[in-house]
Amino acid sequence: MSESVAAEHDYIGLSEFPTMEPTTMSDKTKTRDNNNNSNNDDDDCLNFKATELRLGLPGSESPGRVDPRFLSLKSSGAKRVFSDAINESNKWVFSPGSITATGDVGSGGSAVKDSKPVVPVKEKKSSAAAPAAKAQVVGWPPIRSFRKNTMASSQSQKQGGGDNHNNSETEAEAKSGPEPCLYVKVSMEGAPYLRKIDLKTYKSYVELSSALEKMFSCFTIGQFGSHGGCGRDGLNESRLTDLLRGSEYVVTYEDKDSDWMLVGDVPWEMFIGSCKKLRIMKSSEAIGLAPRVMEKCRSRN
Amino acid sequence: MYLRLPSKVLERILFFIDSNDDRNSVSLVCKSWFETERLTRKRVFVGNCYAVTPAAVVRRFPKMRSLTLKGKPHFADYNLVPDGWGGYAWPWIEALAAKNPLLEEIRLKRMVVTDECLEMIAASFKNFKSLVLTSCEGFSTDGIAAIASTCRSLRELELRECIVDDLGGDWLSYFPETSTSLVSLDFSCLDSEVKFSDLERLVSRCRNLKSLKLNRAVTLDGLESLLRRAPQLTELGTGSFSDELSPEALSKLSKAISACKQLKSLSGLWDVLPEYLPALYSVCPGLTSLNLSYATVRMTDLVDLLRRCKKLQKLWVMDLIEDKGLQAVATCCKELRELRVFPSEPDLEEPNVALTEQGLVFISEGCQKLESVLYFCVQFTNAALITIARNRPSIKRFRLCVIEPFAPDYKTQEPLDQGFKAIAMGCKDLQRLSVSGLLTDKAFEYIGKHAKNLGMLSIAFAGDSDLMLHHLLSGCKKLRKLEIRDCPFGDTALLENAWKLETMRSLWMSSCFVSFGACKLLSQKMPRLNVEVIDEMYPPETRPESSPVERIYIYRTLAGPRLDMPEFVWTIHKNPEIGVSHLAIK
């Protein structure tokens, strides 16, 4: 599951309104750590911890990762003003702005705060991670979203086969270019802005829901609290699903026939093939949707 | 004896004084100068929209014709500021609409602009001439349509890298057939195709059109047609440059381009195919500004183009230009003042491009007028920085991004302290600096000591301790903006140098070790600072005082704590008992 978590944080190809990710990444970490405190039976938690960012001394990690010359530089240590805070039991990753997706950081200690993001300087990554999954730190390198999005859609056009026509055969909300991007708008009741996400970057409802959760958590921040326990796939990422299914909000989508349907009832491939728009609405408003879903499924099958 | 310059005379003198800095100085001389100055200031610049209330600005400058505002902190460009943070244009537009109907120009950067704002602008300012939005968001093409349809004397409409809810290309068709006043139109950030015949007609009838920046949906055929109608253009942003063209069509395009004898600036060129670059050759000798930063072509093709651009002053390009290409540029483009080199593949572990520090060294050797540098590179050396500083003491803006955090000098494995020391010492007019790579506190000691003109400094993944921050805050006399991420310090230096923060516009620190307790202390100590804590998980007061906060943004203000904060931003209240105040706008 770490890989899919990592994939979501690949900031090339992200929607235009990214970055709830970092903070809710640490949110997850916090929650998982809380879980660790209480009942740790979730193996994913450990793996997740392995991927969390540490900001601090190289050398406080497993030494193999870091150029040993760093150690000598750093250990002639400047006093850390911070040393008190490190020792407390508070485990949350303090640097939500920086995330790494590397898979092989030793899950060495609890003290995460005084470590720097572990980014190997010149070493080849010994990692199990795919070549593109280099340490992904949010907002680094400092390139504007506009440029990243433009380059991303450029690249996808080049990959999208010989069809390079940029004409408006694509829908207004899709980025220019055919296949590889599938941008849909996501709106939420009560939220001041629309978002856009690229459905092709997700492979399952679980990924989608966790991405939506991150994007919109700031609008429902009071309502999440700390949901301990795991969602339906045994992962805390489906907290949104919990929340959405369980209480106030549901995710709905408008399909090609311009009907509004509940998200989650059709196979994923079918969903992304027909989804035009997403909307997160209050459960009370979505009541009328269920019967139509059944009809559609019947008529399709 | 008390001599006083008659205010009429002063007015006459002030007529010639445009610069904000100068006018600010004038206004501090005495009360009567303050009065005369404020009654004559036409162009107002507010660098932080929360530093002062709209009402105060509108009241002070009754003759204002142009307002420039900046909203979010600079690091918002790199997604470090969560959505919904703030920077709303509405209160300003509202205040202006009520009191200043003769307003002609609004320029906003990193602000949230809604369709309502745009509609209000269109409805309220009869002489409205110029709307320039840079890195703004929150509006749709409907709002643009309102501006297009209603502003009779509209001269400039520029959407620079905005995030727009693109509902289609109809907005352009809202320009009335009678409107002929456009001088500059930039819709390069929009996706949807506009109705081409309307665009053609618009361009044809606006004989004063000098700057046209198209979006990617405009084809090469379209471009050719537009250029034929507007050979007077001085600035052109092409649409996509990769459609398939027959040889005749390509030759037609070349001809149309060459007819633009006054063309000085060229941009766009998305997906440009190398075989189409020769179509641009005819205008190269006159170009002063060339943005190839979206052109994924190889070094040899780039050089073939660039060696014809002998008057080039500003070049933006990708690292595909490689060291060799930069060497050629250094030989051919002797007028170069600004160079930006962007990474073509920033995420790859080993970028496949031969761009190293040597490229920048070449430029520093060959381009005597070099002032402004933005350079992304995988790794760097002290020796290169020292050479660059020695060659080019004229550099005023130096932003080096070594892509790998904590990368030392790759030849000596030392930190890049000595290199940046050379920059700080050698470039006496240095106003803006971004540092990167492995840096210890020493680097910042040098910067604090020598960079006396430094106004803006950006730091990431650097330093060892609070000393670093202390050096900067106690040293850099002219520091206005400081932004720091992922550096291991905070409290002590911040509290010791609290006084400094009121002399600056703003300080941003994210993923550093600034504790909530320190924030509180700071806020109590400094009444005219807003100390804002951004924390998307918990209110800071639910955590122990010593625990670090996610992000802080501290800025001086006359307006008190702001009232439009989202749920994840807290202003530390001045009264320690209250802790944090949190007021959200509805």
Side-chain angles (χ1 to χ4, degrees):
Chain A
M1 205 52 217
S2 302
E3 287 77 41
S4 66
V5 165
E8 287 175 85
H9 291 78
D10 182 339
Y11 55 63
I12 292 288
L14 264 188
S15 70
E16 293 164 343
F17 297 97
T19 79
M20 281 311 160
E21 301 107 21
T23 51
T24 34
M25 192 67 154
S26 56
D27 167 21
K28 284 192 224 271
T29 313
K30 287 169 203 163
T31 314
R32 285 174 191 270
D33 286 338
N34 288 339
N35 285 344
N36 277 345
N37 285 339
S38 46
N39 57 336
N40 177 13
D41 48 49
D42 189 350
D43 201 50
D44 280 340
C45 292
L46 277 182
N47 286 344
F48 187 81
K49 220 164 153 55
T51 64
E52 75 200 359
L53 178 79
R54 293 94 169 304
L55 190 74
L57 288 180
S60 58
E61 316 296 331
S62 39
R65 297 267 308 153
V66 174
D67 188 334
R69 278 162 287 211
F70 275 59
L71 293 176
S72 55
L73 283 170
K74 294 297 174 182
S75 62
S76 59
K79 174 173 93 93
R80 290 224 134 53
V81 178
F82 203 146
S83 41
D84 320 60
I86 296 169
N87 296 329
E88 63 188 22
S89 56
N90 181 351
K91 285 202 177 72
W92 56 277
V93 177
F94 81 99
S95 54
S98 321
I99 303 253
T100 184
T102 57
D104 54 343
V105 173
S107 50
S110 57
V112 294
K113 284 190 270 283
D114 59 338
S115 330
K116 296 207 164 125
V118 183
V119 177
V121 175
K122 288 183 334 172
E123 304 169 17
K124 248 345 191 179
K125 285 187 92 74
S126 54
S127 63
K134 143 183 190 154
Q136 299 270 352
V137 179
V138 168
W140 190 266
I143 299 175
R144 287 184 170 182
S145 325
F146 185 83
R147 169 167 296 277
K148 284 192 274 192
N149 292 343
T150 307
M151 296 306 293
S153 61
S154 250
Q155 282 173 1
S156 57
Q157 278 185 42
K158 292 200 155 128
Q159 290 160 16
D163 182 12
N164 270 332
H165 293 301
N166 294 347
N167 299 328
S168 62
E169 57 195 28
T170 53
E171 300 147 40
E173 53 250 68
K175 285 273 195 206
S176 55
E179 289 302 66
C181 292
L182 189 60
Y183 281 90
V184 297
K185 291 188 197 169
V186 187
S187 60
M188 176 167 176
E189 251 183 80
Y193 310 112
L194 293 185
R195 308 296 183 102
K196 259 192 194 180
I197 58 173
D198 177 4
L199 284 181
K200 294 268 178 180
T201 61
Y202 310 110
K203 301 193 189 48
S204 70
Y205 284 118
V206 172
E207 286 183 34
L208 174 65
S209 77
S210 87
L212 290 178
E213 170 193 8
K214 290 170 207 157
M215 258 186 237
F216 289 96
S217 63
C218 68
F219 301 124
T220 57
I221 193 165
Q223 294 157 26
F224 282 119
S226 62
H227 282 225
C230 298
R232 50 179 190 181
D233 289 20
L235 296 161
N236 282 349
E237 289 161 345
S238 58
R239 238 183 314 143
L240 182 70
T241 323
D242 288 347
L243 181 76
L244 299 181
R245 290 286 155 117
S247 47
E248 297 218 15
Y249 292 92
V250 289
V251 185
T252 62
Y253 70 102
E254 184 181 3
D255 72 357
K256 287 205 143 73
D257 306 329
S258 297
D259 290 328
W260 285 92
M261 322 264 284
L262 283 176
V263 164
D265 291 319
V266 302
W268 175 254
E269 289 302 324
M270 191 187 286
F271 166 67
I272 59 174
S274 60
C275 172
K276 277 184 3 186
K277 263 191 223 178
L278 286 168
R279 183 164 173 78
I280 303 176
M281 55 174 84
K282 292 210 152 71
S283 311
S284 47
E285 298 199 359
I287 287 181
L289 293 182
R292 276 192 277 156
V293 172
M294 301 313 291
E295 277 173 31
K296 286 237 166 195
C297 284
R298 268 188 245 117
S299 66
R300 285 213 177 96
N301 300 340
Chain B
M1 192 176 140
Y2 178 57
L3 288 174
R4 170 187 280 206
L5 197 62
S7 62
K8 283 284 171 222
V9 176
L10 183 58
E11 268 182 47
R12 266 316 179 101
I13 298 172
L14 290 181
F15 179 77
F16 298 101
I17 300 186
D18 255 343
S19 121
N20 262 283
D21 286 340
D22 291 341
R23 277 188 166 259
N24 288 342
S25 306
V26 165
S27 69
L28 291 175
V29 169
C30 65
K31 276 198 162 145
S32 73
W33 280 43
F34 177 90
E35 277 302 301
T36 309
E37 192 283 315
R38 83 174 183 91
L39 294 172
T40 56
R41 195 184 300 207
K42 297 243 169 36
R43 310 183 62 88
V44 176
F45 170 81
V46 178
N48 173 5
C49 66
Y50 290 118
V52 66
T53 62
V57 174
V58 168
R59 194 172 49 234
R60 179 173 167 187
F61 300 111
K63 295 273 170 51
M64 173 175 21
R65 294 287 173 266
S66 161
L67 178 62
T68 303
L69 282 176
K70 293 189 180 181
K72 300 186 202 175
H74 170 240
F75 271 178
D77 285 352
Y78 315 126
N79 300 335
L80 292 179
V81 177
D83 282 342
W85 175 86
Y88 303 104
W90 176 258
W92 292 88
I93 309 288
E94 211 184 6
L96 289 164
K99 293 280 165 54
N100 201 331
L102 294 178
L103 191 74
E104 294 177 0
E105 173 177 271
I106 293 178
R107 306 173 78 96
L108 304 177
K109 186 165 185 180
R110 281 187 218 107
M111 293 194 73
V112 176
V113 181
T114 58
D115 285 347
E116 286 75 32
C117 289
L118 295 174
E119 284 155 19
M120 172 141 270
I121 291 174
S124 316
F125 307 117
K126 295 296 160 221
N127 286 349
F128 197 70
K129 296 200 166 73
S130 173
L131 181 66
V132 177
L133 303 178
T134 307
S135 301
C136 292
E137 57 175 355
F139 59 100
S140 77
T141 41
D142 284 352
I144 306 297
I147 299 278
S149 64
T150 320
C151 299
R152 297 285 164 83
S153 344
L154 193 67
R155 300 223 295 238
E156 292 182 331
L157 176 59
E158 294 181 20
L159 308 174
R160 303 178 184 173
E161 297 194 354
C162 292
I163 297 178
V164 183
D165 193 9
D166 195 334
L167 305 173
D170 304 336
W171 62 272
L172 185 103
S173 308
Y174 280 82
F175 279 105
E177 290 293 327
T178 49
S179 96
T180 54
S181 49
L182 267 187
V183 172
S184 168
L185 178 63
D186 179 351
F187 61 100
S188 51
C189 64
L190 299 180
D191 292 329
S192 297
E193 197 177 349
V194 300
K195 190 156 169 225
F196 189 74
S197 52
D198 288 345
L199 178 60
E200 257 182 340
R201 280 204 304 278
L202 180 67
V203 167
S204 296
R205 64 179 184 266
C206 294
R207 302 312 313 157
N208 293 325
L209 190 68
K210 287 277 186 277
S211 172
L212 179 62
K213 296 190 181 164
L214 307 165
N215 68 358
R216 267 168 109 157
V218 175
T219 62
L220 283 176
D221 277 332
L223 177 65
E224 188 270 331
S225 162
L226 294 170
L227 289 179
R228 258 189 297 119
R229 289 156 214 273
Q232 77 281 6
L233 287 179
T234 58
E235 290 185 352
L236 173 64
T238 69
S240 154
F241 227 84
S242 62
D243 314 326
E244 300 210 5
L245 285 184
S246 66
E248 298 82 41
L250 184 58
S251 137
K252 259 177 85 178
L253 178 63
S254 280
K255 199 152 161 254
I257 292 176
S258 65
C260 299
K261 303 253 183 269
Q262 299 171 46
L263 202 63
K264 293 257 172 308
S265 162
L266 190 55
S267 59
L269 299 170
W270 291 298
D271 310 319
V272 63
L273 295 176
E275 49 267 32
Y276 294 169
L277 285 177
L280 304 172
Y281 286 175
S282 56
V283 287
C284 286
L287 284 183
T288 56
S289 167
L290 182 51
N291 183 349
L292 291 166
S293 64
Y294 294 106
T296 47
V297 290
R298 292 166 326 182
M299 186 262 294
T300 42
D301 298 314
L302 290 170
V303 170
D304 280 340
L305 186 68
L306 288 168
R307 64 182 177 77
R308 295 158 201 266
C309 302
K310 302 243 184 286
K311 290 198 184 150
L312 203 60
Q313 296 180 15
K314 176 169 140 179
L315 174 62
W316 291 19
V317 73
M318 283 200 281
D319 57 8
L320 303 166
I321 192 158
E322 301 182 4
D323 289 345
K324 271 180 117 182
L326 288 177
Q327 188 176 27
V329 169
T331 318
C332 305
C333 305
K334 289 302 190 191
E335 298 292 315
L336 198 68
R337 282 141 171 77
E338 175 177 330
L339 174 69
R340 294 195 190 191
V341 179
F342 296 95
S344 50
E345 310 250 27
D347 289 336
L348 279 194
E349 178 76 21
E350 305 278 343
N352 52 0
V353 176
L355 181 94
T356 71
E357 75 281 4
Q358 188 54 41
L360 191 54
V361 172
F362 286 140
I363 295 282
S364 73
E365 281 161 5
C367 302
Q368 316 253 344
K369 302 192 182 173
L370 190 69
E371 279 181 358
S372 176
V373 172
L374 169 63
Y375 201 78
F376 282 83
C377 192
V378 179
Q379 50 197 14
F380 228 79
T381 62
N382 282 310
L385 284 169
I386 293 169
T387 308
I388 291 167
R390 192 181 54 233
N391 289 342
R392 254 342 95 221
S394 54
I395 291 181
K396 294 197 171 121
R397 290 169 288 276
F398 190 79
R399 296 159 71 187
L400 176 65
C401 179
V402 177
I403 298 185
E404 205 59 60
F406 310 116
D409 177 327
Y410 72 91
K411 289 190 177 151
T412 65
Q413 300 308 318
E414 310 246 301
L416 290 178
D417 296 348
Q418 292 302 316
F420 281 106
K421 173 187 181 186
I423 296 279
M425 285 179 73
C427 304
K428 301 241 178 298
D429 293 326
L430 194 65
Q431 292 164 6
R432 182 168 179 183
L433 178 64
S434 300
V435 297
S436 54
L438 182 66
L439 295 165
T440 71
D441 289 345
K442 271 260 164 237
F444 300 96
E445 185 189 332
Y446 301 137
I447 293 174
K449 210 162 150 206
H450 298 287
K452 286 310 170 197
N453 283 318
L454 192 62
M456 180 169 177
L457 177 59
S458 311
I459 306 173
F461 307 111
D464 307 310
S465 75
D466 277 54
L467 267 184
M468 164 184 163
L469 185 56
H470 174 71
H471 288 313
L472 294 172
L473 293 178
S474 55
C476 298
K477 300 234 169 321
K478 294 203 182 163
L479 197 59
R480 280 175 306 117
K481 292 187 276 187
L482 179 57
E483 47 188 23
I484 305 177
R485 62 167 295 179
D486 292 280
C487 296
F489 52 72
D491 293 359
T492 315
L494 214 50
L495 291 171
E496 267 183 35
N497 292 285
W499 60 272
K500 172 80 175 177
L501 298 177
E502 260 188 29
T503 68
M504 291 167 55
R505 185 187 294 174
S506 66
L507 167 66
W508 168 277
M509 291 177 72
S510 57
S511 307
C512 297
F513 292 170
V514 180
S515 71
F516 179 53
C519 290
K520 287 210 293 204
L521 268 179
L522 186 63
S523 182
Q524 288 153 28
K525 249 173 125 171
M526 309 296 302
R528 281 177 304 187
L529 292 183
N530 273 355
V531 178
E532 290 185 9
V533 170
I534 298 174
D535 193 326
E536 289 176 284
M537 271 318 296
Y538 304 110
E541 56 206 349
T542 62
R543 282 193 260 105
E545 298 255 316
S546 54
S547 76
V549 294
E550 283 179 13
R551 290 166 253 207
I552 57 169
Y553 184 52
I554 301 172
Y555 55 90
R556 66 178 174 189
T557 180
L558 299 172
R562 58 186 176 110
L563 303 176
D564 60 359
M565 293 178 290
E567 284 154 325
F568 49 85
V569 178
W570 285 265
T571 301
I572 309 280
H573 209 279
K574 300 300 172 191
N575 182 342
E577 267 154 53
I578 295 186
V580 286
S581 69
H582 184 102
L583 305 152
I585 204 177
K586 266 306 156 230

